[in-house]
Amino acid sequence: MIPTRAKITRFLAHQLPNKPATYLYLLLASIVSVVAIITFLELANTAQYLFKDLNTSLPYLSLLLTPIVFATIVYLDQKTPEFIGGSGVPQLIAATDSRNKKIRLLLLSFKIAISKLLLVSFAVLGGASVSFGGPSVHIGSSIFYHFFHKTQLKRKLFINGIIAMGGSVGLIVAFNAPIAGFLFAFEEIGRHLKKQALILIAIVVLFSYLLASLYHGDAPYLGKVNHLYFDITNLWQLTPLVLISSLLGATFAKLALTLITRFVFIKNSKVVVFAIICGLIVGTINSINADTSGSGEKELLILLSGESLGYEFIIAKFVASLASFASTIAGGLFMTSLTIGGAIGAEISSLYQQIDLQTLVLFGMISYLSAVIRTPLTATFLVLEMTGSMDLILPGLIIAFAASYISKQISKQPIYEALADNYLKITR
């Protein structure tokens, strides 16, 4: 039976807020978030390319500069009560798990959004191997949470909806991927969301995507990868690629979580010393291979063009990204993980005669990212939206869920959730 117009109207009236001011403040939060994240992306991109140019001329400068930058960022984070460092996604999850307003303000605030913007840019100016997706999520959630009380959404669980909206906006603006942005909110915070919040999130996602399109344009973030086709009956042939990228991604998550839990979730000078050691590791790698610094976007575009960067790049980027993330300087995992996964796909392409190299790069990206963060829907749609390759959605989803399953055998709890638990422990 088709619902009548009156029933649809009553349903929407029950699901959605009826105060115009609510929509006005959600609109304002979206605009402020999009502008702030675009500003952040421009600043961080400029900073990472400044370092690459400097490192090309003076490669050994990184041995001194990178440890100083790492130590400075961690020291500043230690001196403030708020938790600014790291990706930002664990802070978002911890904020939704907590019912304590004071704790949420240590994890999400307008001050944190501004600090995150500046510190991530400073990190890549110093040669860190970090990406901008997680920080964009943190900035978006912080700004939306700042507007929460003005929206007049009084129901308790709408706090989580507001935080999820900001996170979705962050991912959309960072990667021009609206479906992935919505699914990220569902996969990371879905257990805390009411269905009313999901409808509001969808509205905010659509509006923010339209705003972000003014910045990105209509083209996919990494450009459209044309004419890709994959015969689903050949899926079994991808077993080596999925196993290698999944195991490496899961190992990254396990090592990062172990290092952070053991050395960083304390408030004393040892954390700064650990950051200096991590900075020395990254600085040494930068002095040998300039391609490992920054988010990896430039290198990923090279891989998608059909070129290979070599096994040594995979090892160097893996270690540099691990040291950067484990130090808990401000910076994320999305693009660095995609670059490592793409490089694995390019290197393993010699095993395949009938599968296009670009297809293998995309599947490597999906598999590695899904193994690291364990959100298979987000990983799949993020990669395919970024490259305009939605024709590969079925094999992409199968690969992502397989990678997530393999990762779960190595570490039961996803990295973001485990880090969120640690934030909650030290704020009690």
Side-chain angles (χ1 to χ4, degrees):
M1 181 178 178
I2 300 175
T4 65
R5 184 174 180 179
K7 288 182 178 180
I8 293 173
T9 302
R10 283 197 300 271
F11 173 79
L12 292 176
H14 176 70
Q15 301 298 321
L16 299 174
N18 54 17
K19 295 180 180 179
T22 299
Y23 298 97
L24 178 63
Y25 281 111
L26 288 177
L27 178 70
L28 183 59
S30 300
I31 294 171
V32 173
S33 296
V34 170
V35 171
I37 295 167
I38 288 174
T39 301
F40 161 64
L41 294 174
E42 290 290 340
L43 184 61
N45 275 312
T46 300
Q48 73 169 331
Y49 289 119
L50 277 175
F51 174 82
K52 285 181 180 291
D53 290 341
L54 182 64
N55 195 53
T56 300
S57 304
L58 301 167
Y60 295 106
L61 179 62
S62 183
L63 289 170
L64 177 64
L65 178 62
T66 306
I68 291 175
V69 169
F70 276 42
T72 302
I73 293 172
V74 172
Y75 176 80
L76 291 173
D77 194 19
Q78 290 280 305
K79 289 298 180 181
T80 60
E82 294 86 5
F83 292 92
I84 303 166
S87 162
V89 178
Q91 288 93 315
L92 179 151
I93 297 172
T96 62
D97 286 341
S98 175
R99 296 186 178 183
N100 189 314
K101 180 181 177 181
K102 291 182 179 179
I103 291 177
R104 288 198 298 269
L105 287 172
L106 295 176
L107 301 164
L108 301 171
S109 70
F110 204 74
K111 176 186 175 182
I112 290 175
I114 296 171
S115 299
K116 195 84 172 189
L117 184 155
L118 296 174
L119 289 182
V120 176
S121 301
F122 186 44
V124 291
L125 183 61
S129 177
V130 295
S131 51
F132 312 142
S136 295
V137 167
H138 198 186
I139 291 169
S141 291
S142 294
I143 292 172
F144 265 77
Y145 185 69
H146 177 78
F147 281 94
F148 171 69
H149 295 293
K150 296 182 183 298
T151 62
Q152 302 179 40
L153 291 170
K154 300 299 183 182
R155 281 169 282 187
K156 186 179 295 184
L157 288 183
F158 265 117
I159 294 175
N160 299 327
I162 287 289
I163 294 171
M165 288 175 202
S168 297
V169 171
L171 209 62
I172 290 166
V173 180
F175 299 118
N176 205 24
I179 300 175
F182 179 80
L183 291 173
F184 174 78
F186 174 76
E187 284 191 295
E188 288 292 8
I189 319 171
R191 65 186 184 279
H192 295 301
L193 293 177
K194 299 183 74 171
K195 59 183 180 181
Q196 294 96 323
L198 288 173
I199 295 174
L200 274 180
I201 291 170
I203 294 171
V204 170
V205 161
L206 178 59
F207 177 73
S208 300
Y209 173 65
L210 294 175
L211 279 180
S213 296
L214 300 176
Y215 170 69
H216 286 296
D218 296 330
Y221 182 81
L222 294 172
K224 188 170 179 60
V225 181
N226 294 314
H227 310 303
L228 293 184
Y229 170 75
F230 181 78
D231 186 347
I232 197 70
T233 61
N234 293 326
L235 193 63
W236 64 271
Q237 296 181 19
L238 298 176
T239 302
L241 171 62
V242 175
L243 282 175
I244 292 171
S245 54
S246 299
L247 290 173
L248 198 58
T251 301
F252 179 98
K254 183 71 172 180
L255 288 174
L257 185 58
T258 300
L259 290 170
I260 292 172
T261 303
R262 182 168 298 179
F263 294 109
V264 178
F265 274 109
I266 49 178
K267 286 279 187 179
N268 60 40
S269 59
K270 291 181 181 179
V271 180
V272 179
V273 173
F274 182 68
I276 293 172
I277 295 171
C278 291
L280 283 170
I281 293 171
V282 176
T284 301
I285 293 172
N286 287 338
S287 67
I288 299 170
N289 189 338
D291 292 337
T292 55
S293 66
S295 67
E297 178 183 341
K298 177 182 176 182
E299 290 70 35
L300 189 52
L301 289 171
I302 292 172
L303 293 168
L304 287 171
S305 71
E307 296 183 37
S308 171
L309 295 174
Y311 288 104
E312 64 277 6
F313 171 80
I314 298 173
I315 297 170
K317 189 66 176 176
F318 180 93
V319 176
S321 300
L322 177 61
S324 297
F325 189 76
S327 71
T328 65
I329 60 170
L333 284 175
F334 283 101
M335 186 61 77
T336 53
S337 296
L338 294 176
T339 304
I340 295 169
I344 294 170
E347 289 307 311
I348 208 172
S349 63
S350 59
L351 298 178
Y352 300 93
Q353 301 300 320
Q354 298 179 333
I355 304 177
D356 186 86
L357 183 145
Q358 289 179 319
T359 302
L360 294 171
V361 168
L362 295 184
F363 287 157
M365 292 164 65
I366 292 171
S367 181
Y368 187 88
L369 180 62
S370 184
V372 171
I373 64 174
R374 299 255 290 274
T375 51
L377 292 175
T378 300
T380 303
F381 280 92
L382 182 64
V383 171
L384 299 185
E385 284 187 283
M386 288 171 70
T387 55
S389 307
M390 295 301 286
D391 289 343
L392 300 177
I393 188 164
L394 181 56
L397 285 171
I398 295 172
I399 288 169
F401 277 97
S404 181
Y405 176 80
I406 292 170
S407 179
K408 189 175 181 180
Q409 309 315 302
I410 295 175
S411 180
K412 289 186 178 181
Q413 193 173 22
I415 184 171
Y416 286 151
E417 290 185 15
L419 293 175
D421 287 345
N422 278 319
Y423 278 117
L424 288 175
K425 289 176 184 176
I426 61 177
T427 51
R428 284 172 184 160

